[in-house]
Amino acid sequence: MDEDLAKATMGGEAEHINEDIWKNVYVKYVDNVPPYVFKQHPVLNPRDKKHYDDSCFRVRDRLAIIYAAVTNDIQEHGAGIRLDSVATYQAMGDHCVNDLFPLHTREQLDVMLNRLFSWDPQTYLNLPLDEMREYFGEYIAMYFAFLEFFTKFLIPIVVVGIVFFILQLATGKVLVWGIEMFALMVIVWAVCFPIFWRKQEYYWAMRWGQLRFDLEEGTRPEFEGTYQRSAIDGSLIEYYPHSLRNQKRVLSFTIVVCFLVALVVSTVGVVALRVWAARADNPSTDYIVSVVNALVIMFFNNIYGVIAERMNEWENYETETQYENNLIIKVRLHCEPEECSKELASQLAVIFLTQLFVSNAIELGSLWFARVCKGGSASFESDDEGSRVWNEYKSERYDRTFDDYNELLVSYGYCTLFVIAFPFAPFFGFLSNIVESRIDGYKVCHLLRRPFPRRADDIGAWQFALEGMAWAVLATNLGLICFASNELRIHFGIHNREFEEVVTVICVFIIISCLWQLLARCFKDTPTYVDEHIRRMNHIEHQLQKLSQEVERFFDDLREDEVAGWEQWNIQYVLAFLQKVLVKNGVEYEQIKAIFNKYNINGKIFAKLKQDQLTKYGVKDHMIAELIIHARQLLIRHASKVKIQASMFEELANQSSTVDGGAGPVFEFNNEHLLQLANYFETEMTGQLKKKLWEKVDKDASSMIESNEMTLFLYFSFVLFIKTKFPQSGIPKKMTPTSIAKWLLHYKVSNQGLSYDEFDKYFSTWIREYHKELKSSSRPSQFQGYSGDSIGADSRKQTLLGFDGVDDESKSLSKDSSNQHLKRVPREQWPKPSIEWEHKMSDVALTLAKTDAQTKARLWDKIDSKSAGKLDADKSLVRFLYLILTYHVKVESRNAKVPKLEELQALLVEIALKIRRKLPNENSLSKQDFVDHFASYLKDAAKE
């Protein structure tokens, strides 16, 4: 999702900890952890308050989740609806969605507008940035943060500029005494501005939880790629070749260069026309030149802007940040020559005043007029909810801040490029920024739709545009100082003024450039306090994930009936669960343990316990009380999940060869469903459900899915997936996944069969590998046109999945003699590890003999997952011996590598045959016999 961060808080008991370093800590939301870890936000919607008063998800988080659910591709569990294509679909009558946008919240708008238009002088330079971030997201808030910083940073050159402007008016001269120093001051200001803004960016990124934004930014809905597995972590990603994008970029920048050449030629042509008009004694020529100049500007501003955006879209960038950065580069390469060709002092004041009043009036008026023309009213304000929604729907969308940043950069140029000619320009820029902040705030609050929240950690490529403008300020003002004034010219004692001016410009330029680069390098790296903060957040997040995993493992280790019947737990069971929830806080656990033992709070009492009762029991810390209630909610939630899955599995158990009784059509399995199946097994199946699925097939309690059971196991796996993810679909009449079963048995599963650990850890990965092999297959019929009703009717419709309706395969696989599992291998054919370990089995027996009965019982439970109390000697003994050998290796050295089962199978079969002759019952091994005598059996077998 777009926003997946929750703000962590700390308790007040940490008296000797510097709390400042623990502020603004953001971590991913983790389930199963105590609720007080995450900051709770008030719920603004009265309808929500009926259910809860606060939530760790803010309103903007919910909007971001909704947006991701709608726009994400189906492969990413979204609806796959691209908002930019909705209008096209609607025009063709092919889509039910007309539009999608969040509604404004009047209470939050009033808070921001009251701050923006307050008469309090403290609010003139301080914008409601945190409120904007909460409402609009970091992307828009970062723009207003930049505008606020820009305005404040102007103050030094505004004050000095006013002084020199007054001197110019008093003397009637432009080059007054000291004006060169002011120009140098502006150069230093322009050099420092992007550097100090970068430091301020880090502050806002840390405050708003965006320090890891580059690692977590989502994909643009407009991005089009092919889905494949990541080469880094194996996750499903949408991929577009960088080489293909680079080829497109080369072509795009070729077009940009052509436009730049055309712009230069047009500018030269306009200058030539001005010269011709000045020489011609005809008043109409000035009018002709003005019209030509206006046409040139309109052409390059409008036509090029559209072409640049189309080229940028064609290059197919993955994230919004990449898209905007490349668009900025294209447009700024075009804009700067035109913007810097303005007249100097005589026109700067007119330009600022025009921008301040006329441009803003046109900007607001056009948005208001567009809404009225579409049938909306002049204002959002309406007591009728339907009218208010209609007015917002008829308003324009606010997609990006590109035009607003562009205006600020133009203002930046006016303020700094020609300060010698017009020192009052910084003041006009300062005043323009104050007005612009109010105009833009009013625009996004009252004239535009509320945009979906977007995240951002900086201003993107505008940072490079600022640095480029700083170089322009350096070159322009340095040239004006040296060529228009004699104060800074270096005298070489020769009578060549032009030479001295050029040398002076070059020397000063080199000195300032070196100082600039030195300053930039000092502030280029991420500040130390930011690096420490990132590591601190990573550590907290890791600990929370470990805690959540401990709780999940606790539930997975329980039987289904134990979870569903948690209200019957005794005190020890309840305390064991609470200890898992509080695995890192022994102090709190000891307090809870003492209270539960004192008042004999078992599962039945725990189920009815209320928070006010805990106070009577002596729980005075409200966080501990919240923790106890939270632990009970976890139990209720997991028990509910187990009951639902049990009900679903009961239906699965009753599944016959006929079509399922669902009202929907028969389910059609396609290629992409394999990936969904893998994700389902990996992320959604609980431990109890996996065990239940396993036990349904492993009837003989051998802890192995053997070759003759693999097809049946896959059948139930597919049916379970269909019933969970597509409950309205019917199950095909005959669905026998023979091909995938053969593939698993041939490439992945050992001769002994599939163990539960392999199923739990690797099954999803194997399904993905099979899917990858399907995609690379040359057969075009894979998964296409599959229908359960037609399976088996035509052999040409058979797929690589093998849903061919043939039941003979599973019948033939079942013809397997019982002695096949303990078939002796001639010693000359033994693998090297079997030979090496033949002389170490006495050590394995010694380790087992030293092991206490409780540990032996745990070893037994690992292989006897159904708690049958006995193991089939023929089918399970080799696997059990391998488990004991693995235990021995880990006891000797935790980091030691255990040989593969296939490499030791010849030896273990030989040992198993010898042990089998010593068993009281040659066909089975009982648990008690294992605990009491198995070590001696193994020792004797090793000696033989």
Side-chain angles (χ1 to χ4, degrees):
M1 64 184 179
D2 182 43
E3 169 67 52
D4 55 358
L5 300 176
K7 190 170 184 179
T9 57
M10 62 181 295
E13 71 276 2
E15 299 177 358
H16 304 292
I17 296 178
N18 181 8
E19 294 190 10
D20 290 336
I21 66 173
W22 296 98
K23 293 179 179 178
N24 304 314
V25 173
Y26 292 79
V27 297
K28 287 183 179 180
Y29 179 78
V30 182
D31 206 359
N32 299 329
V33 299
Y36 57 75
V37 169
F38 302 107
K39 180 178 179 179
Q40 302 297 305
H41 301 273
V43 176
L44 299 178
N45 194 323
R47 298 171 185 172
D48 291 339
K49 288 187 176 181
K50 294 179 181 179
H51 306 286
Y52 44 85
D53 295 326
D54 49 29
S55 169
C56 61
F57 294 106
R58 298 157 297 179
V59 175
R60 50 100 61 239
D61 300 326
R62 301 179 191 181
L63 293 177
I65 293 171
I66 294 171
Y67 181 76
V70 172
T71 60
N72 281 1
D73 288 340
I74 296 174
Q75 292 87 343
E76 297 176 342
H77 311 293
I81 300 176
R82 288 176 48 175
L83 297 185
D84 61 330
S85 302
V86 164
T88 305
Y89 295 146
Q90 193 68 22
M92 297 186 298
D94 292 339
H95 211 286
C96 61
V97 177
N98 187 50
D99 212 332
L100 176 71
F101 62 94
L103 295 176
H104 280 290
T105 305
R106 184 179 299 178
E107 295 82 358
Q108 290 179 284
L109 287 180
D110 290 341
V111 171
M112 287 185 288
L113 290 173
N114 289 337
R115 286 276 307 274
L116 283 171
F117 294 98
S118 172
W119 290 103
D120 186 355
Q122 294 182 354
T123 63
Y124 293 165
L125 298 180
N126 298 304
L127 302 178
L129 298 179
D130 288 321
E131 290 83 355
M132 288 180 168
R133 178 251 179 170
E134 289 288 333
Y135 192 77
F136 294 112
E138 292 79 13
Y139 175 73
I140 292 177
M142 192 64 74
Y143 162 73
F144 283 97
F146 174 74
L147 179 54
E148 179 187 274
F149 180 82
F150 182 20
T151 306
K152 292 180 178 179
F153 210 74
L154 277 172
I155 292 177
I157 60 173
V158 165
V159 174
V160 179
I162 292 174
V163 173
F164 279 101
F165 181 67
I166 294 173
L167 287 176
Q168 287 180 341
L169 293 178
T171 60
K173 297 179 180 180
V174 173
L175 298 175
V176 297
W177 179 87
I179 193 71
E180 298 86 357
M181 295 296 106
F182 177 56
L184 285 175
M185 177 185 178
V186 171
I187 290 174
V188 173
W189 181 93
V191 167
C192 293
F193 178 67
I195 296 174
F196 282 92
W197 163 246
R198 186 64 185 141
K199 289 191 63 178
Q200 188 69 13
E201 273 183 335
Y202 278 117
Y203 167 77
W204 290 115
M206 187 175 76
R207 182 179 177 86
W208 292 339
Q210 302 302 303
L211 291 176
R212 296 179 291 185
F213 168 72
D214 291 337
L215 301 176
E216 300 163 346
E217 185 177 9
T219 304
R220 291 174 62 236
E222 297 81 8
F223 174 67
E224 296 180 352
T226 57
Y227 279 90
Q228 63 181 45
R229 287 289 153 187
S230 169
I232 299 174
D233 58 5
S235 60
L236 187 65
I237 60 171
E238 194 173 6
Y239 176 74
Y240 188 77
H242 295 289
S243 58
L244 182 57
R245 181 181 293 119
N246 289 335
Q247 293 173 15
K248 292 182 176 182
R249 293 181 71 183
V250 170
L251 181 57
S252 296
F253 278 98
T254 302
I255 297 174
V256 171
V257 171
C258 292
F259 266 90
L260 285 175
V261 172
L263 176 61
V264 173
V265 172
S266 301
T267 305
V268 172
V270 171
V271 172
L273 277 176
R274 288 185 183 276
V275 174
W276 170 75
R279 293 177 179 176
D281 190 12
N282 188 347
S284 63
T285 56
D286 291 335
Y287 174 76
I288 294 173
V289 172
S290 299
V291 171
V292 172
N293 189 35
L295 291 174
V296 169
I297 293 174
M298 288 176 59
F299 174 80
F300 283 104
N301 279 348
N302 297 323
I303 302 300
Y304 177 80
V306 173
I307 293 176
E309 192 162 355
R310 294 288 177 87
M311 290 188 300
N312 213 55
E313 191 70 43
W314 178 58
E315 290 167 16
N316 195 26
Y317 290 101
E318 183 176 359
T319 65
E320 289 288 352
T321 300
Q322 294 172 353
Y323 177 86
E324 290 203 358
N325 288 347
N326 284 274
L327 181 61
I328 291 167
I329 293 172
K330 290 182 179 69
V331 175
R332 291 308 303 172
L333 283 175
H334 159 73
C335 289
E336 288 184 15
E338 185 273 325
E339 290 163 4
C340 298
S341 63
K342 305 293 183 183
E343 299 292 335
L344 288 176
S346 61
Q347 292 191 6
L348 282 175
V350 176
I351 292 171
F352 264 118
L353 292 174
T354 302
Q355 180 180 342
L356 188 62
F357 296 105
V358 180
S359 297
N360 285 324
I362 293 174
E363 182 180 9
L364 296 179
S366 62
L367 294 173
W368 175 83
F369 186 72
R371 183 167 68 196
V372 173
C373 289
K374 290 180 181 179
S377 64
S379 173
F380 284 157
E381 299 297 332
S382 175
D383 295 331
D384 181 57
E385 186 174 4
S387 299
R388 182 171 59 85
V389 173
W390 177 258
N391 291 334
E392 293 185 32
Y393 168 60
K394 290 300 180 181
S395 300
E396 296 293 321
R397 291 170 59 183
Y398 188 64
D399 292 325
R400 52 179 51 94
T401 56
F402 183 88
D403 293 333
D404 296 319
Y405 275 118
N406 203 40
E407 288 182 20
L408 293 185
L409 206 62
V410 171
S411 178
Y412 177 90
Y414 292 154
C415 291
T416 55
L417 286 173
F418 310 111
V419 289
I420 289 181
F422 190 48
F424 206 55
F427 174 76
F428 270 128
F430 177 79
L431 182 62
S432 175
N433 284 356
I434 293 178
V435 175
E436 186 71 25
S437 63
R438 272 64 189 173
I439 294 296
D440 288 341
Y442 181 81
K443 177 180 69 176
V444 297
C445 290
H446 264 298
L447 294 179
L448 295 167
R449 291 183 186 178
R450 180 179 182 176
F452 279 100
R454 281 178 54 188
R455 299 168 58 195
D457 62 339
D458 54 30
I459 61 173
W462 294 109
Q463 181 78 22
F464 302 107
L466 282 176
E467 294 173 0
M469 287 294 292
W471 283 105
V473 171
L474 172 59
T476 303
N477 285 284
L478 198 56
L480 289 174
I481 291 171
C482 295
F483 290 109
S485 172
N486 296 325
E487 296 297 328
L488 291 181
R489 190 170 77 246
I490 301 175
H491 297 280
F492 293 93
I494 60 176
H495 301 289
N496 191 330
R497 177 177 177 178
E498 289 78 9
F499 174 77
E500 291 180 342
E501 289 173 346
V502 171
V503 173
T504 300
V505 169
I506 294 174
C507 292
V508 177
F509 184 86
I510 292 174
I511 293 172
I512 295 179
S513 299
C514 291
L515 293 175
W516 182 3
Q517 294 304 312
L518 180 62
L519 185 64
R521 285 187 176 276
C522 291
F523 292 99
K524 183 178 181 180
D525 295 332
T526 306
T528 303
Y529 74 92
V530 173
D531 281 332
E532 291 177 351
H533 199 71
I534 292 174
R535 291 197 298 269
R536 188 179 303 120
M537 291 191 298
N538 289 338
H539 170 72
I540 294 174
E541 187 174 303
H542 177 68
Q543 294 301 318
L544 291 177
Q545 289 174 345
K546 280 182 60 178
L547 175 57
S548 179
Q549 291 167 1
E550 286 289 332
V551 174
E552 287 294 338
R553 278 195 290 269
F554 176 84
F555 283 114
D556 287 345
D557 289 340
L558 296 177
R559 297 193 310 272
E560 181 183 288
D561 58 324
E562 290 178 328
V563 178
W566 66 271
E567 294 182 12
Q568 306 304 318
W569 285 1
N570 56 30
I571 300 177
Q572 285 69 32
Y573 256 83
V574 175
L575 289 175
F577 170 66
L578 292 175
Q579 189 175 24
K580 289 295 181 184
V581 177
L582 277 172
V583 67
K584 288 295 181 182
N585 198 329
V587 177
E588 290 182 1
Y589 170 70
E590 289 300 326
Q591 296 177 16
I592 294 175
K593 181 180 179 181
I595 292 172
F596 272 57
N597 282 323
K598 180 178 180 181
Y599 294 98
N600 195 25
I601 302 176
N602 54 22
K604 187 175 182 179
I605 299 174
F606 186 43
K608 300 177 181 179
L609 199 62
K610 296 182 180 179
Q611 194 158 342
D612 56 349
Q613 290 179 290
L614 292 172
T615 306
K616 297 178 181 179
Y617 289 149
V619 180
K620 298 180 181 179
D621 191 329
H622 71 92
M623 287 195 298
I624 295 181
E626 288 181 11
L627 172 70
I628 295 173
I629 300 301
H630 163 72
R632 187 179 65 188
Q633 292 301 115
L634 284 180
L635 283 172
I636 294 173
R637 189 171 65 201
H638 278 76
S640 175
K641 187 187 297 185
V642 165
K643 290 177 182 177
I644 293 172
Q645 292 175 347
S647 174
M648 180 178 58
F649 211 91
E650 188 67 28
E651 293 181 24
L652 176 64
N654 297 327
Q655 177 70 35
S656 65
S657 60
T658 60
V659 179
D660 186 73
V666 176
F667 182 77
E668 297 185 3
F669 214 104
N670 62 44
N671 207 344
E672 294 306 320
H673 287 137
L674 277 175
L675 292 178
Q676 296 182 34
L677 174 69
N679 290 334
Y680 170 69
F681 272 88
E682 189 172 58
T683 61
E684 297 184 40
M685 284 193 73
T686 63
Q688 287 81 13
L689 189 58
K690 285 183 179 179
K691 290 177 182 177
K692 203 169 184 66
L693 173 63
W694 183 270
E695 292 168 359
K696 183 170 181 60
V697 181
D698 185 24
K699 299 292 188 181
D700 56 3
S702 65
S703 298
M704 300 287 293
I705 299 297
E706 298 161 40
S707 58
N708 63 318
E709 299 172 328
M710 183 61 70
T711 303
L712 182 63
F713 179 72
L714 289 169
Y715 166 77
F716 282 126
S717 299
F718 288 136
V719 171
L720 188 62
F721 163 71
I722 294 170
K723 295 183 74 65
T724 304
K725 305 299 290 185
F726 305 94
Q728 301 303 318
S729 299
I731 306 300
K733 291 181 179 179
K734 291 184 178 181
M735 184 174 64
T736 311
T738 53
S739 292
I740 188 171
K742 291 178 180 178
W743 184 86
L744 288 170
L745 290 170
H746 183 74
Y747 293 107
K748 299 298 178 183
V749 180
S750 69
N751 295 333
Q752 289 292 316
L754 175 70
S755 69
Y756 181 81
D757 285 341
E758 289 174 333
F759 163 64
D760 188 35
K761 295 178 181 178
Y762 308 121
F763 190 73
S764 300
T765 304
W766 291 344
I767 295 295
R768 293 192 181 102
E769 289 183 29
Y770 184 69
H771 170 266
K772 186 176 181 180
E773 185 168 311
L774 285 179
K775 292 191 70 175
S776 62
S777 173
S778 59
R779 278 177 276 186
S781 61
Q782 52 187 283
F783 300 118
Q784 296 180 8
Y786 163 69
S787 172
D789 293 325
S790 60
I791 292 302
D794 188 345
S795 61
R796 289 176 297 176
K797 294 184 179 179
Q798 294 181 4
T799 69
L800 287 179
L801 256 182
F803 289 156
D804 50 13
V806 181
D807 290 325
D808 294 336
E809 177 72 23
S810 59
K811 294 177 182 178
S812 64
L813 288 174
S814 64
K815 297 176 181 179
D816 183 27
S817 64
S818 60
N819 290 326
Q820 179 183 357
H821 301 279
L822 295 180
K823 185 176 180 180
R824 181 177 276 112
V825 179
R827 198 175 188 285
E828 58 271 13
Q829 297 179 11
W830 281 20
K832 185 178 179 180
S834 290
I835 297 174
E836 293 176 352
W837 273 89
E838 184 179 14
H839 306 290
K840 299 179 183 179
M841 294 307 295
S842 297
D843 297 333
V844 176
L846 182 60
T847 299
L848 185 62
K850 293 179 179 178
T851 303
D852 60 87
Q854 188 176 4
T855 304
K856 288 180 180 179
R858 285 202 297 268
L859 284 172
W860 177 273
D861 292 339
K862 284 181 178 292
I863 201 77
D864 184 19
S865 59
K866 203 173 181 179
S867 301
K870 63 179 181 178
L871 294 178
D872 188 300
D874 179 60
K875 296 179 179 179
S876 302
L877 196 53
V878 169
R879 194 77 185 183
F880 195 30
L881 284 169
Y882 182 72
L883 176 65
I884 295 170
L885 186 146
T886 302
Y887 168 72
H888 163 75
V889 172
K890 294 302 180 182
V891 169
E892 293 294 316
S893 175
R894 182 172 294 273
N895 298 321
K897 186 176 181 180
V898 183
K900 294 181 179 179
L901 175 60
E902 293 82 357
E903 299 173 332
L904 296 174
Q905 186 156 337
L907 169 64
L908 297 179
V909 166
E910 192 69 29
I911 296 292
L913 289 170
K914 294 177 181 179
I915 291 177
R916 185 174 177 177
R917 294 196 298 265
K918 302 177 181 297
L919 297 177
N921 183 351
E922 188 173 330
N923 294 321
S924 64
L925 170 68
S926 68
K927 183 176 181 179
Q928 192 62 44
D929 196 27
F930 163 71
V931 173
D932 295 339
H933 307 295
F934 195 81
S936 61
Y937 296 161
L938 181 56
K939 180 180 178 182
D940 294 341
K943 288 181 179 180
E944 294 177 11

